[in-house]
Every structure is written in C-alpha cells, then in structure tokens.
Amino acid sequence: MQRNDFWVGASEFLRNPAMVGSAFPASTMMVDRMLAPLDWSSISVLVEYGPGTGRFTFAALDRMRCDATLLAIDTGAGFVESLRARNDDPRLIVIEGNACDVNRHLADHGLENADCILTGLPFSTLPPEQAEAIMRETAIALQPSGMLAAYQMRTAIRPLIERHFARIDQDYEWLNIPPCHLYWADRPIDQPISASGLKVCV
Ligand SMILES: C[S@@+](CC[C@H](N)C(=O)[O-])C[C@H]1O[C@@H](n2cnc3c(N)ncnc32)[C@H](O)[C@@H]1O
C-alpha cells in the first residue's frame, strides 16, 4: 500500500464513516479472489462504484482488454483527486459522483451498458432508499449478459441483490481487514421502465 493511500483512506473515513465503510483498503488476496471469476475477454465496459484508493481499479486495468473502458465513480473528493493524480491510463475515467447516477454517467461518456459493475459501496450503512435506488439503476445499467461483483462486510446486500438479479454466487474472504462477503450476480431482472432519467438519489 502506498503511504499516501493510507492517509487518503483514513481522512475520507473520518470525514464520512457511513459512506466509506472501512479505513483500510482491500487486501491483494481479496482483490484477486473477487476478480478471478470475471471473463475479462468479454468486458468492454467495466464500472466501479467506490474505487476509494484504487486497489481494485489498478488490478482491473491490469486484466482488462486494451480497448476496454473503466468508469470509476466515487463520492469522495479526496479519493477522486488522488486517483486522478495517479492515473496515466487512457482506459480509466474517474468521476466524482454518485453510483445511483450510473446510467447518466454512462450516457455522458457515450458508453453502452456495462458488461460488469464492481462495487465496494457499504450498502448496509447507506440510507435504505439510496441502496435500493443504486441496485435498481445497476440492473438497468448492465447488459443482459452482464455481471455484478460486490464485496461487503455484512450480508445486508443479499436480499437487495435478490430483488434485482436472478442468480447469485457467494464466497467469503478472511484475509482482509475486515473479512468480507463476496457476491457475483447475473441475469439482471428487467425493469419495465428505465429510471435512468429520474432523480432517484436521496
Ligand atoms: C469500502 S470503500 C471502498 C474501498 C476501495 N475499493 C478499496 O479497497 O480501496 C467505499 C467507497 O465507496 C464510496 N462511496 C460511498 N457511497 C457512494 C456512492 N453512493 N456512490 C459512489 N461512491 C460511494 C466511498 O467514498 C468509498 O470510496
């Protein structure tokens, strides 16, 4: 871990503990385990919610096709500034914004629906309406063949995923501070009306 990552993570956590969730960046073991099942050859648009200090972001770039795009969305200004300063990869777009506006951000950048959405958002401490809105927008933002990959300290996310995805695989990673539940969900359940144009965040 770069020394600067520690200070950026700690100061953003102290500023907003409920939204950041943990002061510690993800371990290499958790990053590798979470990313291993993803089919990198078929991913042309990857969206990451809450990249934080970029542990998953740079590992994903290492695995991504050279013509793919990674849209990383974070509400934390300190995280965004630090990621932008370290980014020299034209495939990475870093946005200061809210995950619930994912469909607008994809459209703003002329991108198709995502092949994969990776999230470390602390769903259990987000306001429930916001957590629901983010998961609904996520199902809309994915291709029908797309996948959601989520790591979480708690299991509160599972019923939320079940409402919007037809299939879920689950695992657990002990070697992280704190240990985390890992989820991979696919077959997003169709939304009759796209909510992407609506202001859904609270
Ligand atoms: C647990 S941290 C992610 C840790 C990071 N992936 C790592 O291991 O280095 C959660 C991140 O989600 C961001 N976040 C929280 N709510 C958000 C939202 N609604 N939209 C986008 N980012 C959000 C926080 O600023 C924080 O960077």
Side-chain angles (χ1 to χ4, degrees):
M1 173 172 51
Q2 297 197 351
R3 206 158 61 108
N4 187 45
D5 285 356
F6 174 79
W7 292 113
V8 173
S11 62
E12 288 292 316
F13 178 72
L14 290 175
R15 206 194 316 267
N16 203 336
M19 283 184 91
V20 176
S22 167
F24 297 97
S27 69
T28 306
M29 284 72 69
M30 184 164 87
V31 171
D32 288 346
R33 195 156 176 182
M34 183 87 255
L35 299 184
L38 305 185
D39 176 8
W40 294 96
S41 64
S42 68
I43 295 178
S44 58
V45 177
L46 171 67
V47 175
E48 183 183 7
Y49 299 157
T53 54
R55 296 308 289 272
F56 280 93
T57 317
F58 294 106
L61 288 167
D62 286 344
R63 291 160 171 81
M64 274 168 47
R65 291 189 335 225
C66 55
D67 63 341
T69 301
L70 199 173
L71 198 69
I73 307 171
D74 205 300
T75 46
F79 286 133
V80 168
E81 189 185 334
S82 158
L83 265 187
R84 284 183 179 152
R86 285 172 62 196
N87 179 30
D88 59 2
D89 191 321
R91 296 172 299 168
L92 173 63
I93 301 168
V94 183
I95 294 171
E96 183 178 347
N98 199 307
C100 69
D101 296 321
V102 57
N103 286 289
R104 181 168 60 75
H105 293 308
L106 284 167
D108 284 352
H109 289 85
L111 295 169
E112 300 287 322
N113 281 22
D115 301 293
C116 180
I117 295 183
L118 169 66
T119 173
L121 301 190
F123 277 92
S124 57
T125 54
L126 293 179
E129 305 82 359
Q130 185 171 150
E132 183 68 41
I134 291 171
M135 199 56 77
R136 187 177 63 239
E137 290 296 308
T138 297
I140 294 169
L142 279 166
Q143 298 280 1
S145 59
M147 174 174 277
L148 170 70
Y151 53 97
Q152 294 287 295
M153 284 183 270
R154 303 191 184 92
T155 54
I157 194 178
R158 178 139 190 149
L160 197 56
I161 297 177
E162 282 170 348
R163 282 200 286 282
H164 296 280
F165 291 84
R167 205 176 68 90
I168 310 176
D169 284 333
Q170 188 171 349
D171 206 345
Y172 194 68
E173 178 56 64
W174 286 100
L175 298 175
N176 190 65
I177 307 173
C180 272
H181 300 272
L182 313 182
Y183 299 92
W184 298 269
D186 59 12
R187 301 190 204 152
I189 294 166
D190 285 342
Q191 302 291 319
I193 300 166
S194 168
S196 56
L198 302 177
K199 182 81 180 152
V200 288
C201 269
V202 288

